[in-house]
Amino acid sequence: MMFFFSRFIRMSLQAPPRLLELAEQSLLRDRALAIPTLEELPRELFPPLFMEAFTRRCCETLTTMVQAWPFTCLPLGSLMKSCNLETFRAVLEGLDALLAQKVRPRRWKLQVLDLRNVDENFWGIWSGASALSPEALSKRRTAGNCPRPGGQQPLTVILDLCFKNGTLDECLTHFLEWGKQRKGLLHVCCKELQIFGIAIHRIIEVLNTVELDCIQEVEVCCPWELSILIRFAPYLGQMRNLRKLVLFNIHVSACIPLDRKEQFVTQFTSQFLKLDYFQKLYMHSVSFLEGHLDQLLRCLQAPLETVVMTECLLSESDLKHLSCCPSIRQLKELDLRGITLTHFSPEPLAVLLEQAEATLQTLDLEDCGIVDSQLSAILPALSRCSQLSTFSFCGNLISMAALENLLRHTVGLSKLSLELYPAPLESYDAQGALCWGRFSQLGAELMKTLRDLRQPKIIVFSTVPCPRCGIRASYDLEPSHCLC
């Protein structure tokens, strides 16, 4: 009896691989049998068979499988690392066969082709790595789609656009040409747009093929002149669901007359009037807003969650306008690294902290040139930022007494989990060179002072960057030298 039971178990365990092998034989070797086989094939077998056909570049089979795909979403993007143009064309040919049908066939379930590399779990599920019902999977994958008004929904293609190295990927180039010829039949949805380097006219060509109001995040990480940013600005204004904008290294040519620059600034800032959901502003090494930040702030339609302006040129009036802006009352992150505040009045920064005291979670004032008197002025507001979890203040020239006072003002900040402070001024000699023994002694004293007040989680005292290697020496539990 035990013998027959064991044999039955072995046969049961072997049954799925046998069925899979039979399906592979009919699909991958004999296309004439493909469609009849797919009609009878359990949909649980589609993903592993599709992966096999994709890996082996069985183009005719792929075309057929796309037409019979039994799920609402085909997450092709996570397979694209091993894709060549011929294989990708085969998938698009399958879509063409579906789009050509005026009446959708009964088995047509496919609604979304996802070209983002975000869901390798889909394929892992079917290889036994995890378990999830097909119904739950379909629901999870289509939840983020963009519904279109009207009757029958067009096929949605989701992709992230990343422009780099001066050229477009050959598969993306082919898709964009293919999509142009099928306008009205497709909804091309791009959530994230990243620009690392490509001619602006090529970017504009691509933007004319996607639904701009689907874009939620834009990142420009290449050195643009302000005049190029202005060519991009009208498209930015059409991204009505934009949540996040990142700008790196936007420069103003010395040849631009002042009135022309002001016109450019107005053209750029006015686009924010159209962005009802904008929440996160990131700018690094951006100079054109100096003296004009109020123009941008006046155009904001929703509360800001994040303001990151690092290594930027800002005036004292800019900081004052920021502190008075109603949109920062729900601010969660403020990062002003590298903005020199030495000669600014501390009042705007104190007011800014007061405005966001109920929500601020991350505050970065690294390398801002803040001195003792300015620190003293902002401490009452800082001590009321009850949600603060990350605070970076290193790189400022602060005395031992001022640092001890700062630590006392953090006693009520129970959510602090990461604290970065500067080495006391007394750690350096008259020429500005670090005295290691003194630094170690003062670091130990500050750590003791803090532990007498509360129990910190992660806390580091660090020096200014080493002039030779650029690394900061630090003290947490003991001194840590730079690379020199």
Side-chain angles (χ1 to χ4, degrees):
M1 181 69 177
M2 184 59 69
F3 169 77
F4 288 109
F5 180 73
S6 299
R7 186 179 179 187
F8 173 75
I9 292 295
R10 287 198 301 272
M11 291 176 64
S12 298
L13 292 173
Q14 291 172 357
R18 286 177 180 171
L19 180 58
L20 193 60
E21 288 169 7
L22 290 172
E24 284 181 7
Q25 290 173 9
S26 62
L27 283 169
L28 305 181
R29 298 178 186 175
D30 190 349
R31 187 170 182 266
L33 295 175
I35 293 178
T37 302
L38 289 173
E39 289 292 330
E40 303 300 326
L41 190 69
R43 65 177 182 164
E44 288 79 5
L45 295 181
F46 268 78
L49 284 172
F50 188 92
M51 290 177 68
E52 184 71 16
F54 199 88
T55 302
R56 291 168 57 175
R57 298 182 179 179
C58 302
C59 294
E60 291 186 348
T61 301
L62 282 174
T63 299
T64 304
M65 290 196 74
V66 169
Q67 296 174 57
W69 189 251
F71 304 102
T72 55
C73 179
L74 173 55
L76 189 67
S78 53
L79 299 180
M80 292 289 282
K81 291 177 183 176
S82 60
C83 180
N84 65 3
L85 185 57
E86 183 183 4
T87 309
F88 186 57
R89 278 177 173 159
V91 173
L92 297 185
E93 286 175 13
L95 294 178
D96 269 335
L98 291 175
L99 296 172
Q101 302 181 49
K102 294 182 179 179
V103 179
R104 292 186 173 184
R106 179 178 58 85
R107 279 186 64 95
W108 184 358
K109 303 292 184 184
L110 186 60
Q111 299 174 15
V112 178
L113 174 66
D114 195 338
L115 298 179
R116 300 171 299 171
N117 184 20
V118 294
D119 205 351
E120 293 182 3
N121 284 338
F122 176 93
W123 307 103
I125 285 164
W126 305 106
S127 64
S130 54
L132 187 66
S133 70
E135 291 76 14
L137 182 64
S138 292
K139 182 178 180 181
R140 180 171 64 91
R141 289 299 305 148
T142 58
N145 296 343
C146 300
R148 308 300 295 161
Q152 182 167 292
Q153 303 287 321
L155 178 71
T156 296
V157 181
I158 305 178
L159 72 163
D160 291 332
L161 289 174
C162 182
F163 301 109
K164 58 184 177 181
N165 301 328
T167 58
L168 291 178
D169 173 83
E170 64 174 359
C171 288
L172 176 59
T173 301
H174 180 74
F175 168 76
L176 293 172
E177 290 300 320
W178 179 84
K180 278 183 188 177
Q181 300 167 18
R182 290 150 185 84
K183 208 160 181 75
L185 299 174
L186 297 175
H187 171 63
V188 182
C189 172
C190 171
K191 303 288 187 184
E192 296 182 15
L193 170 62
Q194 294 179 308
I195 303 171
F196 291 99
I198 195 171
I200 185 64
H201 72 274
R202 289 293 287 128
I203 295 171
I204 290 173
E205 284 178 19
V206 174
L207 292 181
N208 285 329
T209 69
V210 303
E211 300 286 343
L212 294 176
D213 58 1
C214 291
I215 297 178
Q216 297 181 7
E217 298 185 10
V218 171
E219 189 170 350
V220 179
C221 296
C222 52
W224 274 2
E225 290 281 347
L226 179 58
S227 57
I228 297 178
L229 179 65
I230 295 311
R231 292 182 62 188
F232 178 74
Y235 296 90
L236 190 70
Q238 295 177 58
M239 301 172 190
R240 311 228 174 228
N241 287 291
L242 188 69
R243 266 73 167 171
K244 175 180 175 181
L245 174 64
V246 181
L247 293 179
F248 273 73
N249 301 317
I250 307 297
H251 303 291
V252 182
S253 172
C255 301
I256 296 181
L258 182 60
D259 59 343
R260 186 67 169 161
K261 176 192 170 184
E262 291 180 353
Q263 181 185 351
F264 282 166
V265 170
T266 300
Q267 286 179 254
F268 172 74
T269 57
S270 64
Q271 304 305 318
F272 288 81
L273 287 167
K274 309 166 189 176
L275 308 180
D276 294 334
Y277 306 102
F278 186 75
Q279 297 176 315
K280 299 182 180 183
L281 178 65
Y282 295 79
M283 292 190 176
H284 177 79
S285 190
V286 172
S287 61
F288 70 90
L289 283 176
E290 182 183 15
H292 299 283
L293 186 60
D294 60 318
Q295 289 182 234
L296 189 153
L297 297 173
R298 284 199 304 266
C299 295
L300 296 177
Q301 302 299 300
L304 284 171
E305 286 188 1
T306 300
V307 172
V308 174
M309 303 187 76
T310 59
E311 306 290 340
C312 292
L313 288 179
L314 289 183
S315 66
E316 186 170 339
S317 65
D318 291 325
L319 191 60
K320 184 176 181 180
H321 286 299
L322 181 62
S323 68
C324 297
C325 176
S327 295
I328 55 95
R329 290 172 184 164
Q330 297 178 34
L331 199 64
K332 293 182 179 179
E333 180 179 3
L334 175 64
D335 186 344
L336 300 177
R337 273 174 300 155
I339 295 180
T340 304
L341 305 177
T342 308
H343 302 296
F344 286 13
S345 165
E347 184 180 354
L349 182 55
V351 171
L352 199 162
L353 295 178
E354 288 174 4
Q355 295 276 24
E357 65 182 26
T359 56
L360 192 64
Q361 298 173 6
T362 299
L363 175 61
D364 196 330
L365 298 175
E366 181 179 316
D367 295 326
C368 288
I370 294 174
V371 297
D372 284 7
S373 59
Q374 293 171 311
L375 174 60
S376 178
I378 68 172
L379 283 182
L382 177 64
S383 67
R384 293 193 294 271
C385 294
S386 57
Q387 302 303 307
L388 197 64
S389 61
T390 300
F391 179 40
S392 179
F393 195 64
C394 56
N396 296 291
L397 300 177
I398 303 296
S399 70
M400 181 70 173
L403 277 173
E404 289 177 328
N405 191 28
L406 168 59
L407 296 180
R408 292 189 184 96
H409 275 80
T410 63
V411 171
L413 306 182
S414 59
K415 296 191 177 181
L416 270 179
S417 57
L418 176 61
E419 304 167 68
L420 306 175
Y421 298 111
L425 271 175
E426 291 83 351
S427 303
Y428 306 92
D429 64 20
Q431 286 72 44
L434 183 68
C435 302
W436 280 102
R438 187 68 175 145
F439 175 46
S440 178
Q441 176 193 344
L442 295 176
E445 290 178 19
L446 287 168
M447 201 70 76
K448 182 181 183 304
T449 297
L450 186 57
R451 288 202 172 106
D452 288 342
L453 297 168
R454 59 181 172 85
Q455 193 61 37
K457 294 178 181 175
I458 301 176
I459 179 169
V460 178
F461 295 92
S462 61
T463 67
V464 296
C466 171
R468 287 194 294 268
C469 68
I471 302 297
R472 299 179 191 268
S474 62
Y475 183 97
D476 42 22
L477 297 178
E478 57 185 32
S480 173
H481 292 243
C482 68
L483 295 179
C484 298

